[in-house]
Each structure stands twice: as C-alpha cells, then as structure tokens.
Amino acid sequence: GIGTAFGTQTCFQNRFGHEVGSDQFGGHLFLHMVDSARVQFCEFNFVGQAFRLGRYPIHFHMTGDVENKNTYIRGNSIHETFNRALTMHGIHNLLVEHNVAFNVMGLTFFLEDGIEEDNIVQYNLAVMTKKSSSLLNIDSIPSSFWMPNPNNIVRHNAVAGSTHFGYWFNSPTHPTGPSATRDICCKQRPLGEFWNNTVHSSG
C-alpha cells in the first residue's frame, strides 16, 4: 500500500518532462517453469520496463528448486536498466556468479519473497545502483543486494558508487507475495554464508 516499503510507485517523482512508458521500456528475459537454464556471457543493455512489476532484465519467476539441474547465471553484463538487474523469485539452489551490473535503476540483485534459499551468489560486481521512482517504494532507497531470507550463500561480491545501500538483509516474518506461507519464519532462518563482500563510495 501507499506509504509502505512495498507500495507500488504510480508516477514519476521529481522527473517532470519524461514521457511515461516510452523512454524506459526495454526487453526482459522471463524464466518460469523451466527444467534448467544456463545464461552465460550475454550482454543485457537498455532492458527492463519501468512501472511494470515482473518486467526485469533477467527474471526467475516461481521456478522452484533447481538443484542438480545445472542452472546458472554466469559472466553476464547487465547495464543501463530501467527496472532492476536480476530477480530471483521463488527459486532455490541457483548459481549466480561473475556477473557485472552497471547503472541499474532499483534493487540490483534481488531475492524477492523470502522463500528463496540455498542460492549461491558470488563474484558479482554492482556499480551505480540508482534509486527508482517507478516500482516499489523500497526501490527509491535501493540496495545492490537485497536478501529477505538469510539462508543463502553470498560471498566475494563487490558494490561501488551506489546511491544508497550495498547489502540489505530485510526479513519479513513470513514469506510474502505468491510464496506466502506461515510455515516458514524468515527471521529465524540460519545465515547460510556472508563472507568477503565489499561496498564503498556509496550513499
């Protein structure tokens, strides 16, 4: 709702003169119900769609457990985006490594509902994560790595030159959105691993 962290933005704030929907409308890769996915050494440029939930440059959506399915996002360049960079929604045991995200609007590497566990996010670089006034309120004070569930492995990543936060653990009591369940308490999940991550020159 309006006034909450997860309220949806509905207008350009402080951006008078921009045309809605025309200058921030790029492609997106949507991965849903896939047996396995390997996205490697690709360039994603001018991607994502402002004001549109679910329209992210790379978006795993309710994919489930990909353990032993050789599924990864590796060595990609994601830059000049209009709506985040990589969204990991409802996925477990995904490998995300050696990716570079530059000049991204909103949360950059984003674990979504709080149900996501056992993912490995390592050796990634996020440069110039910028606030966005075109999605959720939380995107107006973004972090480069957003983690609502601590039970993931996050190591050897770097953040530089971002408007707000580098790494943000923000656990709801229970998973939210399409993954909503009262069977899991995100705040009581163990910390998988958080090691050798750096952030500098950020707000």
Side-chain angles (χ1 to χ4, degrees):
I2 293 176
T4 68
F6 298 100
T8 303
Q9 299 278 350
T10 56
C11 64
F12 279 133
Q13 295 180 349
N14 303 318
R15 302 187 63 190
F16 178 78
H18 285 257
E19 296 180 34
V20 176
S22 64
D23 60 346
Q24 294 184 322
F25 188 88
H28 61 99
L29 176 60
F30 186 82
L31 300 153
H32 175 60
M33 297 182 70
V34 295
D35 185 51
S36 69
R38 293 175 293 281
V39 182
Q40 181 169 259
F41 306 133
C42 297
E43 179 184 18
F44 295 83
N45 188 17
F46 297 112
V47 284
Q49 298 173 4
F51 295 101
R52 295 175 184 269
L53 288 169
R55 299 300 183 258
Y56 316 119
I58 305 173
H59 181 195
F60 282 94
H61 178 74
M62 304 300 290
T63 313
D65 194 347
V66 295
E67 186 175 19
N68 302 320
K69 292 184 177 179
N70 198 24
T71 295
Y72 54 78
I73 301 293
R74 176 184 294 145
N76 301 288
S77 166
I78 311 164
H79 56 105
E80 283 86 30
T81 79
F82 308 125
N83 194 351
R84 304 181 181 156
L86 169 61
T87 295
M88 297 161 273
H89 185 190
I91 190 167
H92 316 287
N93 292 292
L94 174 67
L95 176 61
V96 178
E97 64 180 3
H98 300 292
N99 300 286
V100 175
F102 170 73
N103 197 10
V104 173
M105 292 180 64
L107 304 162
T108 300
F109 292 95
F110 177 61
L111 292 157
E112 191 159 339
D113 284 347
I115 196 83
E116 301 84 10
E117 294 191 340
D118 301 312
N119 298 291
I120 300 174
V121 181
Q122 61 185 10
Y123 301 105
N124 300 288
L125 172 63
V127 181
M128 211 163 91
T129 296
K130 303 185 306 186
K131 70 176 188 173
S132 171
S133 299
S134 62
L135 198 60
L136 301 180
N137 290 337
I138 201 68
D139 288 279
S140 66
I141 53 169
S143 66
S144 296
F145 291 83
W146 169 271
M147 297 154 287
N149 188 321
N151 193 19
N152 291 282
I153 296 172
V154 181
R155 59 192 177 198
H156 313 301
N157 300 288
V159 177
S162 299
T163 60
H164 288 78
F165 304 101
Y167 305 87
W168 192 344
F169 285 91
N170 190 347
S171 299
T173 303
H174 302 289
T176 58
S179 307
T181 177
R182 299 189 66 79
D183 296 336
I184 295 174
C185 180
C186 302
K187 293 182 178 182
Q188 294 181 351
R189 300 302 294 153
L191 177 63
E193 182 179 334
F194 187 81
W195 183 64
N196 195 34
N197 299 294
T198 61
V199 57
H200 64 86
S201 305
S202 295

